[in-house]
Short mmCIF file of all heavy atoms in Angstrom, two decimals:
data_model
loop_
_atom_site.label_atom_id
_atom_site.label_comp_id
_atom_site.label_asym_id
_atom_site.label_seq_id
_atom_site.Cartn_x
_atom_site.Cartn_y
_atom_site.Cartn_z
N ARG A 89 47.44 -49.45 -52.94
CA ARG A 89 48.16 -49.13 -54.19
C ARG A 89 49.40 -48.32 -53.84
O ARG A 89 49.47 -47.70 -52.77
CB ARG A 89 47.26 -48.36 -55.15
CG ARG A 89 46.68 -47.10 -54.55
CD ARG A 89 45.65 -46.44 -55.46
NE ARG A 89 44.41 -47.19 -55.56
CZ ARG A 89 43.40 -47.07 -54.68
NH1 ARG A 89 43.50 -46.27 -53.63
NH2 ARG A 89 42.29 -47.77 -54.84
N ALA A 90 50.35 -48.29 -54.74
CA ALA A 90 51.61 -47.59 -54.48
C ALA A 90 51.40 -46.10 -54.25
O ALA A 90 52.05 -45.49 -53.39
CB ALA A 90 52.58 -47.82 -55.64
N SER A 91 50.50 -45.50 -55.00
CA SER A 91 50.29 -44.05 -54.86
C SER A 91 49.73 -43.68 -53.49
O SER A 91 49.94 -42.56 -53.01
CB SER A 91 49.38 -43.52 -55.97
OG SER A 91 48.10 -44.13 -55.91
N ASP A 92 49.03 -44.62 -52.82
CA ASP A 92 48.53 -44.34 -51.47
C ASP A 92 49.68 -44.09 -50.51
O ASP A 92 49.57 -43.31 -49.55
CB ASP A 92 47.70 -45.52 -50.95
CG ASP A 92 46.28 -45.54 -51.52
OD1 ASP A 92 45.98 -44.70 -52.39
OD2 ASP A 92 45.49 -46.40 -51.10
N ILE A 93 50.79 -44.77 -50.74
CA ILE A 93 51.97 -44.58 -49.89
C ILE A 93 52.48 -43.15 -50.02
O ILE A 93 52.86 -42.51 -49.04
CB ILE A 93 53.05 -45.62 -50.25
CG1 ILE A 93 52.57 -47.02 -49.86
CG2 ILE A 93 54.38 -45.29 -49.58
CD1 ILE A 93 53.44 -48.15 -50.37
N ASP A 94 52.45 -42.62 -51.24
CA ASP A 94 52.85 -41.23 -51.43
C ASP A 94 51.89 -40.28 -50.74
O ASP A 94 52.31 -39.28 -50.14
CB ASP A 94 52.92 -40.91 -52.93
CG ASP A 94 54.14 -41.52 -53.60
OD1 ASP A 94 55.08 -41.91 -52.89
OD2 ASP A 94 54.14 -41.62 -54.84
N VAL A 95 50.59 -40.57 -50.79
CA VAL A 95 49.61 -39.70 -50.13
C VAL A 95 49.87 -39.66 -48.63
O VAL A 95 49.80 -38.60 -48.00
CB VAL A 95 48.17 -40.20 -50.42
CG1 VAL A 95 47.14 -39.40 -49.62
CG2 VAL A 95 47.86 -40.08 -51.92
N VAL A 96 50.20 -40.82 -48.04
CA VAL A 96 50.53 -40.87 -46.62
C VAL A 96 51.71 -39.96 -46.30
O VAL A 96 51.67 -39.12 -45.39
CB VAL A 96 50.83 -42.32 -46.17
CG1 VAL A 96 51.48 -42.34 -44.79
CG2 VAL A 96 49.55 -43.15 -46.16
N TRP A 97 52.77 -40.11 -47.07
CA TRP A 97 53.99 -39.38 -46.75
C TRP A 97 53.92 -37.88 -47.09
O TRP A 97 54.55 -37.06 -46.44
CB TRP A 97 55.20 -40.06 -47.40
CG TRP A 97 55.74 -41.05 -46.41
CD1 TRP A 97 55.31 -42.33 -46.20
CD2 TRP A 97 56.73 -40.79 -45.44
NE1 TRP A 97 55.99 -42.88 -45.16
CE2 TRP A 97 56.87 -41.97 -44.67
CE3 TRP A 97 57.53 -39.70 -45.14
CZ2 TRP A 97 57.78 -42.06 -43.61
CZ3 TRP A 97 58.45 -39.79 -44.08
CH2 TRP A 97 58.55 -40.96 -43.33
N LEU A 98 53.15 -37.54 -48.09
CA LEU A 98 52.99 -36.13 -48.44
C LEU A 98 52.14 -35.39 -47.41
O LEU A 98 52.40 -34.22 -47.12
CB LEU A 98 52.34 -36.01 -49.82
CG LEU A 98 53.21 -36.40 -51.02
CD1 LEU A 98 52.34 -36.60 -52.26
CD2 LEU A 98 54.28 -35.34 -51.28
N ASN A 99 51.15 -36.07 -46.84
CA ASN A 99 50.19 -35.39 -45.98
C ASN A 99 50.40 -35.62 -44.49
O ASN A 99 49.82 -34.90 -43.67
CB ASN A 99 48.77 -35.81 -46.36
CG ASN A 99 48.38 -35.32 -47.73
OD1 ASN A 99 48.06 -34.15 -47.91
ND2 ASN A 99 48.41 -36.21 -48.71
N GLY A 100 51.24 -36.60 -44.13
CA GLY A 100 51.44 -36.87 -42.72
C GLY A 100 52.86 -36.72 -42.23
O GLY A 100 53.09 -36.59 -41.02
N TYR A 101 53.82 -36.70 -43.14
CA TYR A 101 55.23 -36.73 -42.72
C TYR A 101 56.10 -35.68 -43.40
O TYR A 101 57.32 -35.70 -43.22
CB TYR A 101 55.81 -38.13 -42.97
CG TYR A 101 55.16 -39.21 -42.15
CD1 TYR A 101 54.01 -39.85 -42.59
CD2 TYR A 101 55.68 -39.58 -40.91
CE1 TYR A 101 53.40 -40.84 -41.83
CE2 TYR A 101 55.09 -40.56 -40.14
CZ TYR A 101 53.94 -41.19 -40.60
OH TYR A 101 53.34 -42.16 -39.84
N GLY A 102 55.49 -34.81 -44.18
CA GLY A 102 56.25 -33.70 -44.75
C GLY A 102 57.17 -34.05 -45.88
O GLY A 102 58.15 -33.32 -46.14
N TRP A 103 56.91 -35.17 -46.58
CA TRP A 103 57.74 -35.46 -47.76
C TRP A 103 57.58 -34.29 -48.73
O TRP A 103 56.47 -33.85 -49.01
CB TRP A 103 57.30 -36.77 -48.41
CG TRP A 103 58.22 -37.20 -49.51
CD1 TRP A 103 58.28 -36.68 -50.77
CD2 TRP A 103 59.24 -38.19 -49.45
NE1 TRP A 103 59.26 -37.29 -51.51
CE2 TRP A 103 59.88 -38.24 -50.73
CE3 TRP A 103 59.68 -39.08 -48.46
CZ2 TRP A 103 60.93 -39.11 -51.01
CZ3 TRP A 103 60.73 -39.95 -48.75
CH2 TRP A 103 61.34 -39.96 -50.01
N PRO A 104 58.68 -33.77 -49.28
CA PRO A 104 58.59 -32.60 -50.15
C PRO A 104 57.72 -32.85 -51.39
O PRO A 104 57.99 -33.77 -52.18
CB PRO A 104 60.04 -32.32 -50.53
CG PRO A 104 60.80 -33.57 -50.19
CD PRO A 104 60.07 -34.22 -49.07
N ALA A 105 56.68 -32.05 -51.53
CA ALA A 105 55.68 -32.27 -52.57
C ALA A 105 56.27 -32.19 -53.97
O ALA A 105 55.80 -32.87 -54.89
CB ALA A 105 54.54 -31.25 -52.42
N GLU A 106 57.31 -31.39 -54.14
CA GLU A 106 57.87 -31.22 -55.48
C GLU A 106 58.51 -32.51 -56.01
O GLU A 106 58.78 -32.63 -57.20
CB GLU A 106 58.88 -30.08 -55.50
CG GLU A 106 60.10 -30.27 -54.62
CD GLU A 106 59.90 -29.78 -53.19
OE1 GLU A 106 58.74 -29.58 -52.77
OE2 GLU A 106 60.92 -29.60 -52.49
N THR A 107 58.77 -33.47 -55.12
CA THR A 107 59.33 -34.75 -55.57
C THR A 107 58.24 -35.81 -55.72
O THR A 107 58.53 -36.94 -56.12
CB THR A 107 60.40 -35.28 -54.58
OG1 THR A 107 59.76 -35.69 -53.37
CG2 THR A 107 61.44 -34.21 -54.28
N GLY A 108 56.99 -35.47 -55.40
CA GLY A 108 55.85 -36.36 -55.66
C GLY A 108 55.60 -37.44 -54.65
O GLY A 108 54.62 -38.16 -54.74
N GLY A 109 56.47 -37.61 -53.64
CA GLY A 109 56.33 -38.70 -52.69
C GLY A 109 57.37 -39.78 -52.94
O GLY A 109 58.01 -39.81 -53.99
N PRO A 110 57.56 -40.69 -51.98
CA PRO A 110 58.66 -41.66 -52.10
C PRO A 110 58.58 -42.57 -53.31
O PRO A 110 59.61 -42.90 -53.92
CB PRO A 110 58.57 -42.47 -50.79
CG PRO A 110 57.22 -42.17 -50.22
CD PRO A 110 56.86 -40.81 -50.69
N MET A 111 57.37 -42.98 -53.72
CA MET A 111 57.26 -43.91 -54.85
C MET A 111 57.45 -43.20 -56.18
O MET A 111 58.12 -43.71 -57.09
CB MET A 111 55.92 -44.64 -54.81
CG MET A 111 55.66 -45.38 -53.51
SD MET A 111 56.98 -46.55 -53.08
CE MET A 111 56.46 -47.99 -54.00
N PHE A 112 56.88 -42.00 -56.30
CA PHE A 112 57.07 -41.20 -57.51
C PHE A 112 58.56 -40.85 -57.66
O PHE A 112 59.14 -40.96 -58.74
CB PHE A 112 56.23 -39.93 -57.42
CG PHE A 112 56.24 -39.08 -58.65
CD1 PHE A 112 55.27 -39.24 -59.63
CD2 PHE A 112 57.20 -38.08 -58.84
CE1 PHE A 112 55.27 -38.44 -60.78
CE2 PHE A 112 57.22 -37.29 -59.97
CZ PHE A 112 56.24 -37.46 -60.95
N TRP A 113 59.17 -40.45 -56.55
CA TRP A 113 60.59 -40.11 -56.55
C TRP A 113 61.45 -41.31 -56.90
O TRP A 113 62.45 -41.20 -57.63
CB TRP A 113 60.97 -39.55 -55.17
CG TRP A 113 62.43 -39.35 -54.93
CD1 TRP A 113 63.23 -38.39 -55.47
CD2 TRP A 113 63.26 -40.13 -54.07
NE1 TRP A 113 64.52 -38.50 -54.99
CE2 TRP A 113 64.56 -39.57 -54.12
CE3 TRP A 113 63.05 -41.22 -53.24
CZ2 TRP A 113 65.62 -40.09 -53.39
CZ3 TRP A 113 64.10 -41.74 -52.51
CH2 TRP A 113 65.38 -41.17 -52.59
N ALA A 114 61.06 -42.50 -56.38
CA ALA A 114 61.84 -43.70 -56.65
C ALA A 114 61.91 -43.99 -58.14
O ALA A 114 62.92 -44.51 -58.64
CB ALA A 114 61.23 -44.90 -55.91
N ASP A 115 60.86 -43.66 -58.87
CA ASP A 115 60.89 -43.84 -60.32
C ASP A 115 61.92 -42.93 -60.98
O ASP A 115 62.49 -43.28 -62.02
CB ASP A 115 59.51 -43.59 -60.93
CG ASP A 115 58.63 -44.83 -60.89
OD1 ASP A 115 59.17 -45.94 -60.79
OD2 ASP A 115 57.40 -44.68 -60.96
N GLN A 116 62.13 -41.76 -60.40
CA GLN A 116 63.14 -40.86 -60.96
C GLN A 116 64.55 -41.39 -60.66
O GLN A 116 65.47 -41.24 -61.47
CB GLN A 116 63.00 -39.44 -60.36
CG GLN A 116 61.57 -38.91 -60.25
CD GLN A 116 60.79 -39.01 -61.53
OE1 GLN A 116 61.27 -38.62 -62.59
NE2 GLN A 116 59.57 -39.53 -61.44
N VAL A 117 64.71 -42.01 -59.50
CA VAL A 117 66.01 -42.56 -59.12
C VAL A 117 66.31 -43.81 -59.94
O VAL A 117 67.43 -44.00 -60.45
CB VAL A 117 66.03 -42.90 -57.61
CG1 VAL A 117 67.34 -43.61 -57.23
CG2 VAL A 117 65.85 -41.63 -56.77
N GLY A 118 65.32 -44.69 -60.04
CA GLY A 118 65.48 -45.94 -60.77
C GLY A 118 65.69 -47.13 -59.85
O GLY A 118 66.48 -47.07 -58.90
N ALA A 119 64.99 -48.20 -60.14
CA ALA A 119 65.08 -49.41 -59.31
C ALA A 119 66.49 -49.99 -59.24
O ALA A 119 66.91 -50.44 -58.17
CB ALA A 119 64.08 -50.45 -59.81
#
């Protein structure tokens, strides 16, 4: 699922938690 990708990046690669992860953040940016 898409949210699993965020879990990977939040817990293994230091994606800033305040942005929710790459997929959550992408929704803020817009497709």
Side-chain angles (χ1 to χ4, degrees):
R89 56 187 71 85
S91 61
D92 281 5
I93 292 171
D94 286 343
V95 174
V96 167
W97 269 84
L98 289 164
N99 293 283
Y101 295 87
W103 187 283
E106 62 272 16
T107 71
M111 304 305 275
F112 185 92
W113 171 72
D115 275 338
Q116 317 308 312
V117 174

